[in-house]
Amino acid sequence: MNFQRSTTITSTVTRIPEAEYVNPFVLKLDLDDPWERRKTYLMTLLVLPIRVVLMGLCLLVAWAFASIGLYGLTEKERRSVPIAGWRREMRELTAVAMRMVYFFGSFHRIRVNGVCASPREAPIVVVGPHYSLFDGIVVAYCGPSTVVAKSKAADLPIIGKIIDITQPIYVCREDPNSRHITRHLIIERVISKEDWPQILIFPEGTCSNGHAVVQFKPGAFGPGLPVQPVAIRYPNRTNTVSWTWEGPGVPVLLWRTLTALHTGLEINFLPVYYPNEQERNDAKLYALNVRNYIAQSLGIPGTEHGYNDCKLMNYMIAIGMPYFAWSHDIAKMRRWLGLADGKREQELVEQYAPFTDRNAFVTLEEFAERLNVSDKDSAGVIDFRQYLLLALFLSTLGKPKLDLMKLLFKLYSEERDLIGSDGLYQAVKHLASVTPAECNQLFAEADTSQRGVISFEQFERTINCHSVLNELQELNEPKPYAAPQQQSAPQTS
């Protein structure tokens, strides 16, 4: 959905850099190929059970080495003093056992290019793009390195000990001060004269499909010290490793990966990146340049998609908004068109409401005309109601939900500014936790004249002493520090 005022859609797409329209949070995986299905089912019956047993044994061995290495250390000692001597050897053996876990999990073809720099030369390693927890194998090839992990990971059975042996920096996303504490701990480690291992970070902070390197968070670059960029790639015909916001679920991808004959992985250790003075003084610039450096080495674009987009998508999933994975692209398109304030869409709601199944679907040419964009070369139809729903939602982010509710009253109206019971539920279901039965009850209370339609003022009076009002008075935005619904490997802010 790439548009630009007074030009055709198709010609605009050809002129906009790929980074402007690639969507890193969508994965389309063909699960219907007959041959692939037969091969997968056969591998499930004959190979998967053996692989799971061998992976489990290697995981237990890794846990045993980690437990031995941590034996006798207090939690304070684990976090404040780098382990040494025989304990460090246990950590290295843990890394070897983890490599075997991956080997038995179909990762037989791991190709390493370049050399991992020493901690003194590059105290921080930054890895991208971030596909999924499979990327954690890079930790084993870096010494192993220290990771930045969610605090809850320490409580995981077996895995918790394996993470602990790396002496991680734990992050608690529910804590509003976590970002500052994490940065402080990273700086404390990297400037320390003690023999700490390198800190490995996935600075994107979320997973993608690997078609682009998304925006880097600046936490790893705040110290202004040299970093070693590591570019990873899974050169497989079918991508079964990306855990994206729109695509197959994690169980399906795990199943497809563990039943593949081979899963290839390239780990490219790039030359150490030494920041210039401007980059040392500007962590965001430093992060941007390293992001572009990794992207260029892989021949893919860097994109301004980032973790905040994922928070917004998570919020959109929770409230049932359509096309959540395209929210960034739709928002960018609307900025190009000068529609960010939502006034044009509000005018269109006023002009074309009420919408029915007969008038809601318009051709792309008509859709473009309504937005004052010339588009004579595209064919197809679009649900104009769904576009307006998304546009009104995006234009009211950060404002009370009641503001959006008032606009949705017009979008789902049956008569001019009057809404029926079905339309009321379509409007309120995105903004408040209400069942259809509860919504019908609200409608009946508001429809005092029993006309079958109500105005916004009638609705507002009815909910004056109702719990729905409290929800509608909240801001239309993701909850602070809400964790996304996907899992992710070590990361930082």
Side-chain angles (χ1 to χ4, degrees):
M1 297 179 70
N2 295 283
F3 299 84
Q4 192 170 27
R5 191 180 297 278
S6 300
T7 61
T8 66
I9 297 173
T10 51
S11 62
T12 301
V13 171
T14 61
R15 291 200 305 274
I16 297 171
E18 185 181 359
E20 295 294 324
Y21 60 84
V22 65
N23 192 325
F25 301 130
V26 174
L27 175 65
K28 299 187 184 300
L29 182 61
D30 183 10
L31 302 175
D32 298 322
D33 181 82
W35 163 242
E36 285 296 327
R37 287 169 59 186
R38 292 192 192 98
K39 186 175 70 173
T40 299
Y41 293 147
L42 189 63
M43 292 288 289
T44 300
L45 292 173
L46 302 180
V47 178
L48 181 59
I50 299 173
R51 282 184 172 175
V52 170
V53 170
L54 292 174
M55 290 172 67
L57 289 174
C58 289
L59 201 59
L60 287 174
V61 170
W63 171 83
F65 284 139
S67 299
I68 294 170
L70 294 170
Y71 181 75
L73 291 179
T74 65
E75 185 175 346
K76 182 178 179 180
E77 289 173 330
R78 295 178 189 181
R79 299 193 180 193
S80 60
V81 181
I83 60 177
W86 64 270
R87 296 184 189 276
R88 182 164 291 191
E89 292 179 7
M90 289 297 104
R91 186 177 67 192
E92 292 172 357
L93 288 173
T94 301
V96 172
M98 288 304 296
R99 289 193 198 183
M100 295 306 296
V101 171
Y102 278 81
F103 178 83
F104 289 123
S106 80
F107 287 82
H108 310 142
R109 298 173 177 173
I110 298 179
R111 180 180 177 183
V112 180
N113 301 312
V115 179
C116 183
S118 69
R120 291 296 175 190
E121 189 178 4
I124 298 176
V125 174
V126 293
V127 184
H130 186 16
Y131 294 80
S132 64
L133 282 177
F134 291 123
D135 304 343
I137 186 60
V138 180
V139 175
Y141 282 88
C142 291
S145 56
T146 287
V147 297
V148 180
K150 297 175 184 177
S151 56
K152 293 179 181 178
D155 300 325
L156 295 173
I158 301 179
I159 296 295
K161 284 286 186 185
I162 296 172
I163 294 175
D164 269 345
I165 195 67
T166 71
Q167 296 190 281
I169 296 173
Y170 282 118
V171 180
C172 179
R173 277 188 174 159
E174 291 75 19
D175 181 357
N177 298 315
S178 177
R179 180 178 300 179
H180 302 292
I181 294 171
T182 302
R183 288 179 180 174
H184 173 74
L185 291 174
I186 291 174
I187 294 173
E188 192 176 76
R189 289 271 185 103
V190 299
I191 66 175
S192 172
K193 293 183 179 180
E194 296 185 89
D195 191 19
W196 287 101
Q198 289 170 310
I199 299 175
L200 185 144
I201 296 171
F202 293 88
E204 291 166 298
T206 189
C207 299
S208 70
N209 57 23
H211 293 168
V213 185
V214 306
Q215 193 177 60
F216 277 9
K217 299 166 83 174
F221 307 91
L225 296 172
V227 301
Q228 181 168 33
V230 178
I232 61 175
R233 185 204 317 265
Y234 293 85
N236 306 299
R237 188 179 68 175
T238 303
N239 182 354
T240 63
V241 299
S242 291
W243 300 358
T244 58
W245 290 82
E246 183 173 290
V250 172
V252 171
L253 293 171
L254 280 172
W255 173 48
R256 291 295 299 270
T257 300
L258 296 180
T259 56
L261 287 173
H262 305 284
T263 301
L265 168 62
E266 290 181 7
I267 304 174
N268 301 290
F269 289 97
L270 304 178
V272 174
Y273 191 104
Y274 295 92
N276 57 35
E277 184 176 356
Q278 189 178 5
E279 290 169 331
R280 285 195 296 270
N281 295 326
D282 187 344
K284 291 185 178 179
L285 175 65
Y286 189 6
L288 173 65
N289 290 342
V290 174
R291 192 274 314 266
N292 292 340
Y293 181 40
I294 291 177
Q296 185 178 15
S297 73
L298 293 170
I300 60 178
T303 174
E304 295 312 303
H305 289 81
Y307 181 68
N308 287 335
D309 293 303
C310 294
K311 287 200 296 185
L312 177 59
M313 284 188 281
N314 199 50
Y315 175 53
M316 293 176 71
I317 292 170
I319 65 175
M321 281 285 165
Y323 303 112
F324 57 86
W326 299 95
S327 55
H328 176 95
D329 304 85
I330 294 170
K332 179 169 285 188
M333 179 203 77
R334 294 178 65 252
R335 285 196 297 272
W336 287 334
L337 295 173
L339 300 173
D341 59 7
K343 290 181 179 179
R344 176 56 183 162
E345 285 94 354
Q346 292 176 34
E347 292 172 358
L348 291 171
V349 171
E350 294 278 1
Q351 182 178 353
Y352 291 101
F355 290 98
T356 66
D357 289 340
R358 298 186 64 179
N359 72 344
F361 292 90
V362 299
T363 65
L364 288 178
E365 183 178 352
E366 186 177 357
F367 173 72
E369 287 176 357
R370 292 182 180 185
L371 295 179
N372 297 329
V373 181
S374 174
D375 179 37
K376 299 179 180 178
D377 302 325
S378 296
V381 295
I382 188 169
D383 189 332
F384 198 49
R385 286 173 303 184
Q386 288 200 334
Y387 167 77
L388 290 173
L389 169 63
L390 287 168
L392 297 174
F393 166 80
L394 291 170
S395 65
T396 55
L397 284 173
K399 298 178 182 179
K401 292 180 179 179
L402 207 57
D403 291 359
L404 176 57
M405 184 67 191
K406 191 171 185 178
L407 296 172
L408 296 186
F409 237 81
K410 296 180 179 180
L411 180 64
Y412 293 109
S413 64
E414 291 187 7
E415 299 178 21
R416 180 61 62 182
D417 295 338
L418 298 175
I419 202 169
S421 58
D422 291 340
L424 178 63
Y425 180 67
Q426 291 299 318
V428 78
K429 71 176 182 180
H430 299 299
L431 306 176
S433 52
V434 58
T435 65
E438 291 170 335
C439 189
N440 287 337
Q441 183 178 353
L442 279 174
F443 182 86
E445 293 174 9
D447 188 17
T448 53
S449 60
Q450 297 185 339
R451 293 178 55 197
V453 289
I454 61 173
S455 66
F456 182 77
E457 288 72 21
Q458 288 176 292
F459 172 75
E460 201 169 19
R461 286 196 297 269
T462 303
I463 63 170
N464 194 37
C465 298
H466 197 281
S467 60
V468 168
L469 179 62
N470 295 330
E471 293 185 72
L472 293 178
Q473 287 176 334
E474 295 176 356
L475 295 182
N476 178 31
E477 62 182 12
K479 298 290 184 182
Y481 314 112
Q485 294 178 343
Q486 66 179 38
Q487 297 184 43
S488 178
Q491 54 197 6
T492 189
S493 51

